[in-house]
Amino acid sequence: MKVKLKNVFVIYFLVSVIGLMYALLQLGQPCDCSQHLRSASDLMHGKDKKISQLLSEVKRLQARGKGPELEGQALPIIYAITPTYARLVQKAELVRISQTFLHVKNFHWIVVEDSPVKTQLVSELLAQSGLRFTHLHTETSKEHKRKESDPNWLKPRGVEQRNLALQWLRENRELSEEGVVYFADDDNTYSLRLFDEIRSTKRVSVWPVGLVGGLRFERPLVEKGRVVGFYTAWKPNRPFPMDMAGFAIALQLLLANREARFDLLAERGYLESSLLQSLVSIEELEPRADNCTKVLVWHTRSEKPKMKQEELLQKQGLGSDPSIEV
Amino acid sequence: MKVKLKNVFVIYFLVSVIGLMYALLQLGQPCDCSQHLRSASDLMHGKDKKISQLLSEVKRLQARGKGPELEGQALPIIYAITPTYARLVQKAELVRISQTFLHVKNFHWIVVEDSPVKTQLVSELLAQSGLRFTHLHTETSKEHKRKESDPNWLKPRGVEQRNLALQWLRENRELSEEGVVYFADDDNTYSLRLFDEIRSTKRVSVWPVGLVGGLRFERPLVEKGRVVGFYTAWKPNRPFPMDMAGFAIALQLLLANREARFDLLAERGYLESSLLQSLVSIEELEPRADNCTKVLVWHTRSEKPKMKQEELLQKQGLGSDPSIEV
């Protein structure tokens, strides 16, 4: 018994000495968390990087949206009326303005072809554009049609097409609907900011147009928030010496004045005036684009592509594959 | 002596029991870093929350951007290299292509001005574009500069600018990075579909270009998925009879071939070949756009605006306000 007890004590003694030593070691060095903390810090560093990446992505995405998106649904619709006609650069021009319009909220594109039918090219382009659109067509009557060989100022293009679009709006929109109508030719260049400026049109809003009339820009002259004249060199005595791209009209004003339209017989340069005269006076014009001091639309014109090689090859029966749309 | 020994044993017994218990507790739970980790975990939880908030914000913003944005992060970046120079239509051209590019996911615009400085016009346009961009400049050396009166085919434009962009990529991007490089001049017209086609370029991808070379389009001819020739009328014997807008190059291929660049002295029409020859063979070209049967980019050219009235007025000291940017 005595021997047994001694053995028990010896074993107990050894175990407890080890336990005590371990306990003392732990007490001197209470807890080494560095490994845990290192991996935690790595993780956090990674997360910080991710956050900074995401923040810059959010910034970038917000910038490209431009403007208070959430109000989107409440905004008046902008109706852009674009007359167009078949030519080599037609598809290219329509593609690039459609990509501009795709950024504009509450937008409705009215495309009117100068054609006896709706062409496949324009129909498919519109269907694939991602835009809300209305596709119309009317062929310019022979007496008013400009020939290929005519200089581009001889007869204005797109008059009957724009009038058809006005008619469509009058037949398909209610006087109670808020909206803005803009005549957006397919060859101009539009800054996205222009559409923010247009949106709030009460009657007729106006702004500068770049690269037009033989000038760097034409523009309404504004004093104390009112239009008092126009900076223009060509026929400055026209009632509204402005380019088509330089004004927008409230939908309600057009619906309330059902007879207002472009005059097919208007003298050269008087087309814009022929519509505006029956809608508004100069004093009523609403200046936009920082009191008409910013150019947000440019009267760009595409060169007619040279087809010398194509013509040569066609004579040899080797012209480009007509089934490939350009 | 016996009593003393007993007391020692009792004290020792108590101390060692405590030690043993402590040791056993420690063994089950080797190190309690919970306090340190708790605060780290709180921090991380906060960061996770932030990340998840930002991710949903990115998602929301991307959703309004239209298209399958969510894969965005995994897509190779498209680097579009655009040389540009001051002229009346410069801003208009840059505005409209920037609006096209704004629709393209994982896109990085490298704009290189032919100018001794970065101009204010381009700097501000880029800053407001909403695009990821790099702004560079280098002035074309006098001997290579085209004069206003020179025909546009006499000397190629933008050669030194494109080479500078290649140099920037080589200095700022890693061989491990997936990307695609495209030379996107500021006057062309780009369909959004083009960028989907470009994205998967392994070495050099090719496709038709509209309205170029005196033809409706030029295009690579494809048989059984391989490029076997080119439909082109002008200098068909060039090694790569293609327009700059008709191909894209894998970033890795450009980084691995550090000497590949455009030859400033290349004969007229041989500029594209001077770069491509050192990168790829015709058999390796990857046809895009439905085996090169679709036109997704057009070699559009803007007319030089007439400034007749502006010049007349300037002579009288009545030119347009130079502080208004066009």
Side-chain angles (χ1 to χ4, degrees):
Chain A
M1 184 73 186
K2 237 183 181 175
V3 176
K4 264 188 184 166
L5 201 69
K6 198 178 165 189
N7 284 347
V8 169
F9 263 115
V10 168
I11 290 161
Y12 175 77
F13 179 77
L14 287 170
V15 168
S16 64
V17 162
I18 292 165
L20 200 62
M21 279 171 66
Y22 182 79
L24 285 170
L25 274 169
Q26 290 288 327
L27 282 170
Q29 198 177 316
C31 178
D32 179 13
C33 299
S34 61
Q35 246 184 331
H36 290 108
L37 288 176
R38 197 172 314 123
S39 57
S41 145
D42 285 353
L43 253 172
M44 265 194 284
H45 186 69
K47 285 184 198 297
D48 281 338
K49 216 172 143 185
K50 183 81 189 163
I51 287 173
S52 123
Q53 278 172 358
L54 284 167
L55 271 172
S56 65
E57 185 67 6
V58 165
K59 247 192 194 169
R60 195 181 69 79
L61 288 167
Q62 280 173 338
R64 82 172 185 189
K66 280 166 190 118
E69 275 285 337
L70 297 174
E71 308 154 30
Q73 287 313 306
L75 293 174
I77 291 180
I78 292 175
Y79 294 92
I81 294 174
T82 302
T84 188
Y85 66 100
R87 62 202 190 275
L88 279 165
V89 297
Q90 181 184 32
K91 188 172 177 184
E93 303 273 37
L94 291 173
V95 161
R96 63 180 162 193
I97 59 164
S98 75
Q99 291 170 357
T100 291
F101 295 161
L102 203 50
H103 290 291
V104 184
K105 288 152 278 176
N106 281 21
F107 183 89
H108 186 131
W109 197 15
I110 304 178
V111 177
V112 195
E113 289 194 76
D114 185 348
S115 164
V117 294
K118 293 184 191 178
T119 65
Q120 192 187 335
L121 186 150
V122 175
S123 301
E124 285 181 6
L125 190 146
L126 286 171
Q128 288 163 19
S129 68
L131 293 164
R132 209 181 309 176
F133 68 87
T134 296
H135 186 184
L136 306 172
H137 72 98
T138 179
E139 195 175 18
T140 302
S141 49
K142 273 220 176 84
E143 55 191 317
H144 295 116
K145 198 153 198 159
R146 196 196 301 167
K147 295 186 198 78
E148 268 294 306
S149 55
D150 287 343
N152 64 8
W153 47 259
L154 191 69
K155 283 170 191 162
R157 269 221 175 86
V159 186
E160 291 168 67
Q161 288 71 33
R162 293 189 192 96
N163 282 339
L164 180 63
L166 292 179
Q167 188 189 324
W168 184 88
L169 283 169
R170 286 171 178 139
E171 286 168 4
N172 292 278
R173 288 298 177 268
E174 301 293 327
L175 199 54
S176 58
E177 195 190 310
E178 268 198 284
V180 181
V181 178
Y182 181 46
F183 299 98
D185 287 359
D186 59 3
D187 44 4
N188 291 333
T189 300
Y190 307 92
S191 161
L192 293 178
R193 211 190 117 188
L194 179 68
F195 301 95
D196 298 331
E197 299 283 327
I198 282 177
R199 188 91 60 181
S200 61
T201 302
K202 296 292 160 240
R203 295 179 69 81
V204 176
S205 56
V206 293
W207 54 83
V209 177
L211 309 177
V212 72
L215 295 168
R216 286 175 65 240
F217 55 82
E218 287 180 348
R219 72 179 184 105
L221 298 168
V222 179
E223 272 176 26
K224 295 179 186 160
R226 286 267 177 99
V227 174
V228 295
F230 297 88
Y231 177 74
T232 180
W234 186 69
K235 294 195 184 181
N237 293 325
R238 290 173 290 166
F240 291 87
M242 295 196 293
D243 184 80
M244 197 69 76
F247 62 88
I249 304 171
L251 176 65
Q252 291 172 338
L253 188 64
L254 281 167
L255 297 188
N257 293 270
R258 304 190 78 82
E259 297 310 312
R261 65 191 61 226
F262 292 104
D263 181 0
L264 198 53
L265 303 172
E267 198 190 323
R268 190 185 157 209
Y270 284 76
L271 190 63
E272 292 84 354
S273 298
S274 75
L275 176 73
L276 290 173
Q277 270 181 306
S278 53
L279 292 173
V280 75
S281 66
I282 287 188
E283 304 77 54
E284 291 172 313
L285 294 175
E286 301 150 38
R288 291 290 184 277
D290 296 351
N291 281 323
C292 300
T293 62
K294 295 280 182 298
V295 174
L296 301 177
V297 54
W298 296 262
H299 191 260
T300 39
R301 288 287 164 264
S302 283
E303 271 181 14
K304 199 179 157 199
K306 294 177 190 96
M307 287 290 116
K308 207 174 107 183
Q309 306 291 343
E310 186 77 42
E311 286 153 17
L312 279 172
L313 288 174
Q314 272 173 6
K315 276 178 199 159
Q316 304 164 44
L318 297 168
S320 63
D321 183 347
S323 76
I324 296 183
E325 187 181 85
V326 177
Chain B
M1 185 72 189
K2 237 185 179 175
V3 174
K4 264 184 182 169
L5 200 70
K6 197 182 166 186
N7 283 346
V8 170
F9 261 116
V10 168
I11 289 161
Y12 174 78
F13 180 77
L14 287 170
V15 169
S16 65
V17 162
I18 292 164
L20 198 62
M21 279 171 68
Y22 184 77
L24 286 170
L25 275 168
Q26 291 289 325
L27 281 171
Q29 198 176 316
C31 176
D32 180 14
C33 300
S34 60
Q35 247 185 328
H36 291 109
L37 287 178
R38 198 170 313 122
S39 56
S41 146
D42 284 353
L43 252 172
M44 265 194 284
H45 187 68
K47 285 185 198 295
D48 281 338
K49 215 170 144 188
K50 183 82 187 160
I51 288 174
S52 122
Q53 278 171 358
L54 284 168
L55 272 173
S56 64
E57 183 65 7
V58 165
K59 247 190 199 171
R60 193 185 70 78
L61 289 166
Q62 282 175 334
R64 77 173 188 193
K66 285 161 189 114
E69 277 284 341
L70 296 175
E71 311 151 29
Q73 289 310 308
L75 293 175
I77 290 180
I78 292 175
Y79 294 93
I81 295 175
T82 302
T84 188
Y85 67 100
R87 61 200 189 277
L88 279 166
V89 297
Q90 182 184 32
K91 189 173 178 186
E93 302 272 37
L94 291 173
V95 160
R96 63 180 162 193
I97 59 163
S98 75
Q99 291 169 355
T100 290
F101 296 161
L102 203 50
H103 290 291
V104 184
K105 287 153 279 175
N106 280 21
F107 183 89
H108 185 132
W109 197 16
I110 305 179
V111 176
V112 195
E113 289 194 76
D114 185 349
S115 163
V117 294
K118 293 184 192 180
T119 64
Q120 193 187 335
L121 186 150
V122 175
S123 302
E124 285 181 5
L125 189 145
L126 286 173
Q128 289 164 18
S129 69
L131 292 164
R132 212 179 305 176
F133 68 86
T134 296
H135 185 185
L136 305 172
H137 71 97
T138 179
E139 196 175 20
T140 302
S141 49
K142 276 225 175 76
E143 54 192 317
H144 296 117
K145 199 153 199 161
R146 195 197 300 167
K147 294 185 198 81
E148 268 292 307
S149 54
D150 286 342
N152 64 7
W153 46 260
L154 190 69
K155 284 169 190 163
R157 268 219 175 88
V159 187
E160 290 168 69
Q161 288 70 35
R162 293 189 193 96
N163 282 338
L164 180 63
L166 292 179
Q167 188 188 325
W168 184 88
L169 283 169
R170 285 171 179 141
E171 286 168 4
N172 292 279
R173 288 299 177 267
E174 300 293 327
L175 199 54
S176 57
E177 195 190 309
E178 268 196 286
V180 181
V181 178
Y182 181 46
F183 299 99
D185 287 359
D186 60 4
D187 44 5
N188 290 332
T189 300
Y190 307 93
S191 160
L192 293 179
R193 211 191 118 188
L194 180 68
F195 301 94
D196 299 330
E197 299 282 327
I198 282 177
R199 188 90 61 180
S200 62
T201 302
K202 296 293 159 239
R203 294 179 69 83
V204 176
S205 57
V206 294
W207 55 83
V209 177
L211 310 177
V212 72
L215 295 169
R216 287 174 65 239
F217 55 82
E218 287 181 348
R219 72 179 185 105
L221 298 169
V222 179
E223 273 176 23
K224 295 179 187 162
R226 285 267 177 100
V227 174
V228 296
F230 296 88
Y231 177 75
T232 178
W234 186 69
K235 294 193 184 181
N237 293 324
R238 290 173 288 166
F240 292 87
M242 294 197 293
D243 184 79
M244 198 68 77
F247 61 89
I249 305 172
L251 175 64
Q252 290 172 338
L253 188 64
L254 282 168
L255 297 188
N257 293 271
R258 304 191 77 81
E259 298 310 312
R261 66 192 61 224
F262 293 103
D263 181 359
L264 199 51
L265 303 172
E267 198 190 322
R268 191 186 156 209
Y270 284 75
L271 190 64
E272 292 83 354
S273 299
S274 75
L275 175 73
L276 290 174
Q277 271 181 306
S278 53
L279 292 174
V280 76
S281 66
I282 288 188
E283 303 76 55
E284 290 171 314
L285 294 175
E286 302 149 37
R288 291 289 184 277
D290 296 352
N291 280 323
C292 300
T293 61
K294 295 280 182 297
V295 174
L296 301 176
V297 54
W298 297 260
H299 191 260
T300 39
R301 289 287 164 265
S302 283
E303 272 181 12
K304 199 181 157 195
K306 295 177 189 99
M307 287 290 115
K308 209 174 106 183
Q309 306 291 343
E310 186 78 41
E311 286 153 18
L312 279 172
L313 287 174
Q314 272 173 5
K315 275 179 198 157
Q316 304 164 44
L318 298 169
S320 64
D321 184 347
S323 76
I324 296 183
E325 189 181 83
V326 177

